[in-house]
Amino acid sequence: MKKLKLILATLTALLMVSACAIADKPNTRYLSGNWQIRTLNGEPTPDTSARIRFDPNTHQYYAFFGCNHIQGNYRDFRHTLHLSQPFGIDKMCANIEDERTGTGTLGFVNSWRIINDTTGVRLQLLDKQHYVRVEARLLKDADIEQH
């Protein structure tokens, strides 16, 4: 009887540890998709065409703040997110300040979360103090074709 209890306790412990390990695995695929950036640092984005996309296969992110198409690398582990310095800023634009704000804001990003509620699926990119630096809405295929 003691052996059976020991075996059951061991199996229970192993199942609990396995469940925790599975829950902590990176969910980079949830970042994938095209996201319309709605706010930067709590303020509405001036350009409604602002976008960000994460590619889980290449670990590249792509962003657009109204002028240049920029990109960089990213690493994601347990919702901790590290974005490299973006590159692809090669032309001066009338709205270059909007772009500088956008690319500068990405430098503060430290983690992410997905919110799925009555307003749809939203991505929030947060800094170390858990302040929402970027909030974006998941675009459906029909929305992407219009832009």
Side-chain angles (χ1 to χ4, degrees), residues 96-116:
I96 196 70
E97 286 305 313
D98 296 341
E99 188 163 294
R100 285 185 182 142
T101 299
T103 56
T105 298
L106 294 178
F108 290 102
V109 170
N110 181 267
S111 62
W112 63 277
R113 67 180 167 216
I114 300 288
I115 297 173
N116 193 355

Side-chain angles (χ1 to χ4, degrees), residues 16-55:
M16 289 174 64
V17 168
S18 295
C20 290
I22 290 169
D24 283 342
K25 285 190 177 183
N27 291 316
T28 303
R29 63 188 167 91
Y30 294 124
L31 283 172
S32 67
N34 290 292
W35 302 90
Q36 178 187 24
I37 298 172
R38 294 292 189 92
T39 65
L40 291 170
N41 304 313
E43 298 291 323
T45 51
D47 190 329
T48 58
S49 66
R51 305 273 189 275
I52 191 162
R53 181 171 63 90
F54 293 90
D55 185 335

Side-chain angles (χ1 to χ4, degrees), residues 20-131:
C20 290
I22 290 169
D24 283 342
K25 285 190 177 183
N27 291 316
T28 303
R29 63 188 167 91
Y30 294 124
L31 283 172
S32 67
N34 290 292
W35 302 90
Q36 178 187 24
I37 298 172
R38 294 292 189 92
T39 65
L40 291 170
N41 304 313
E43 298 291 323
T45 51
D47 190 329
T48 58
S49 66
R51 305 273 189 275
I52 191 162
R53 181 171 63 90
F54 293 90
D55 185 335
N57 298 320
T58 63
H59 294 281
Q60 294 264 317
Y61 71 90
Y62 305 89
F64 179 75
F65 295 101
C67 182
N68 289 294
H69 290 273
I70 62 170
Q71 69 185 66
N73 298 315
Y74 74 93
R75 287 191 322 260
D76 171 36
F77 184 69
R78 296 183 182 168
H79 287 262
T80 298
L81 187 63
H82 173 74
L83 303 176
S84 71
Q85 283 292 103
F87 56 92
I89 302 169
D90 55 1
K91 55 184 171 180
M92 292 298 288
C93 312
N95 60 347
I96 196 70
E97 286 305 313
D98 296 341
E99 188 163 294
R100 285 185 182 142
T101 299
T103 56
T105 298
L106 294 178
F108 290 102
V109 170
N110 181 267
S111 62
W112 63 277
R113 67 180 167 216
I114 300 288
I115 297 173
N116 193 355
D117 58 19
T118 57
T119 63
V121 179
R122 293 178 289 141
L123 169 67
Q124 292 183 336
L125 302 178
L126 304 101
D127 64 15
K128 289 181 181 180
Q129 288 76 36
H130 303 287
Y131 177 73

